[in-house]
Every structure is written in structure tokens, then in C-alpha cells.
Amino acid sequence: MVFLTLPLAGLLVRAPWSTLAERLGEPQVLEALRLSLVTATVATLVCLLLGVPLAWLLARVAFPGRRLVRALVTVPLVLPPVVGGVALLLVLGRRGLVGQWLDTTFGVTLPFTTAGVVVAETFVAMPFLVISVEGALRAADLRFEEAAATLGASRWTIFRRVTLPLIAPGVVAGAVLCWARALGEFGATITFAGNFPGRTQTMPLAVYLALETKPEAAIVLSLVLLAVSVIILASLRDRWVSGP
């Protein structure tokens, strides 16, 4: 416990509390905070759009290769983020497998843009949502859906009116974890999107840069990320950390 909590205590002890409000109001801090909140929120929405149907597929449909698909979904959890950034660059870069086509056909370039930050955050954060929603779907009572089907409800109506309300806590928990992971993403972001202030420099990247020139600013940004982590942990304590 000392090993786990002492670094956090050191961060709190060395924080410039007397000038905290002033440093939080600095333009570069506000810009990094704004960009992080926007990109993490957009990435979470993309994860919801793509991850909920994928979780439903894994939980409710038996198809050949389902175990392989589930394993591939969890790969970003164990893959080093920098490797994920390199992989995204090789696929979606200007000379990548898909990125070259996007560039020549639509004039769309993702690397080193704000959209690239969203893509990188979505890649590393989506597994948290899929795992959470799939677990909620497996725990949901199928009898409610079967009853709705016998009453003539369509599959879409059942999903919207019965399934989603049943798994709503799991979806919310997964979305919150997904958002937190996207907010703290560093390796894939700096590799795929770069570190350009106002465009791709999120809070973790700003911490890394400020640590070399303005250590106190790095501490302030770290405190913001720490506060977000504590708030999320407290909001999900009944689901993730409560014991018998």
C-alpha cells in the first residue's frame, strides 16, 4: 500500500497550492484541458456507436471465430500504446494501407490532426466499453426479451425498449471507463497524432512537455488527471471495488 500510495502523496505534497488557480488559468493548460475533454468525449461517442453492437454480437450471436474476435477486441488492452500508434500510422498514415486511399480519394489525412487524436483514443479505449457491455448482456435475463418477442415486438424494438434499459448500468460504467482511458492516453496519441499545441497536445502530452521546462505546470496538469481518476473510481465503486 505504501508503494502504491506514496507517489500520489508526493504529487500532492509538491503541488503548488498557492498558485494552483493561477496556473490552471494559463492558456496552454486550458487549451490542453479543452482538447482532452473534447477528444475524449468524441472518442467515447464513437466507442458507443461501434462498441455496443459489437458487444451484443459477442454476447448473443454464436458464429464461427467468436473466440478469435473476442481476443482481437481485447488486444489493445495488452498492446503497448506506442505499438498501437505505430500500427495506426501504418494503416491510416498518408502512405498507409487505408490512409493512402483516403488521401487520394477524399483528401482526408488523419495523422497529426485532432481527428487523429480521436482515432488513437478510440483504438485504446473501446475494449473497456465492449467488455463491460458484453458482461452486462450476458448477465441480463433473457426472459424479458423473449416475452417481448412473443408479444410481437421487432428485434430493434426489443433492443431499444427492453435490452438497453436492462444493460444501462453496464453501458454507463463502460462509457465512463472508456472516457477515462481516452483522457489519459499518451503513447498512441503522440505516435499517431504528434504533439502540436492546440491541435493534438492533450493533457498527458502537455504533462510530458511541461516536465522538461515547467515542472510545476506538469504537477498541476497531473493533479487534474488524478482528480478525474478519483472521481471516476468513486462513481463506480459499487460496481468495481465493493467487496462482500
Side-chain angles (χ1 to χ4, degrees):
M1 286 302 298
V2 171
F3 173 74
L4 293 174
T5 57
L6 192 58
L8 302 180
L11 187 65
L12 295 174
V13 170
R14 296 296 299 272
W17 296 107
S18 59
T19 60
L20 183 63
E22 178 183 348
R23 292 187 178 276
L24 283 175
E26 293 180 356
Q28 61 269 27
V29 174
L30 292 176
E31 185 62 32
L33 178 59
R34 181 198 65 80
L35 185 63
S36 294
L37 294 175
V38 170
T39 55
T41 301
V42 174
T44 301
L45 293 176
V46 175
C47 288
L48 284 168
L49 181 64
L50 302 178
V52 172
L54 178 57
W56 183 87
L57 184 71
L58 292 173
R60 296 294 171 82
V61 180
F63 59 91
R66 183 169 63 172
R67 291 185 178 181
L68 176 61
V69 172
R70 184 179 290 112
L72 292 175
V73 168
T74 58
V75 163
L77 288 175
V78 296
L79 189 71
V82 173
V83 177
V86 172
L88 289 172
L89 198 60
L90 293 176
V91 173
L92 298 175
R94 188 169 289 181
R95 297 179 180 271
L97 300 176
V98 179
Q100 187 173 5
W101 174 76
L102 289 174
D103 186 26
T104 56
T105 306
F106 302 103
V108 174
T109 303
L110 290 175
F112 311 111
T113 63
T114 304
V117 176
V118 174
V119 170
E121 292 178 348
T122 302
F123 178 77
V124 299
M126 190 182 295
F128 290 89
L129 178 73
V130 175
I131 291 174
S132 179
V133 175
E134 184 187 359
L137 282 166
R138 291 184 178 277
D141 193 342
L142 290 176
R143 290 177 297 179
F144 293 104
E145 298 179 18
E146 293 170 354
T150 59
L151 294 174
S154 65
R155 182 172 295 182
W156 168 245
T157 301
I158 294 172
F159 180 76
R160 182 170 53 90
R161 301 292 296 273
V162 179
T163 307
L164 275 182
L166 286 174
I167 66 171
V171 175
V172 172
V176 172
L177 289 173
C178 179
W179 185 83
R181 179 65 184 89
L183 188 71
E185 167 51 31
F186 175 82
T189 301
I190 196 172
T191 306
F192 182 64
N195 186 13
F196 299 98
R199 190 169 63 183
T200 66
Q201 188 180 92
T202 57
M203 290 183 65
L205 274 63
V207 170
Y208 176 77
L209 185 64
L211 194 60
E212 300 178 354
T213 57
K214 298 179 180 179
E216 290 189 347
I219 294 175
V220 169
L221 288 168
S222 299
L223 283 175
V224 175
L225 292 174
L226 176 61
V228 171
S229 301
V230 171
I231 291 171
I232 290 173
L233 183 62
S235 64
L236 297 179
R237 69 183 187 278
D238 292 335
R239 183 174 180 84
W240 297 105
V241 301
S242 291

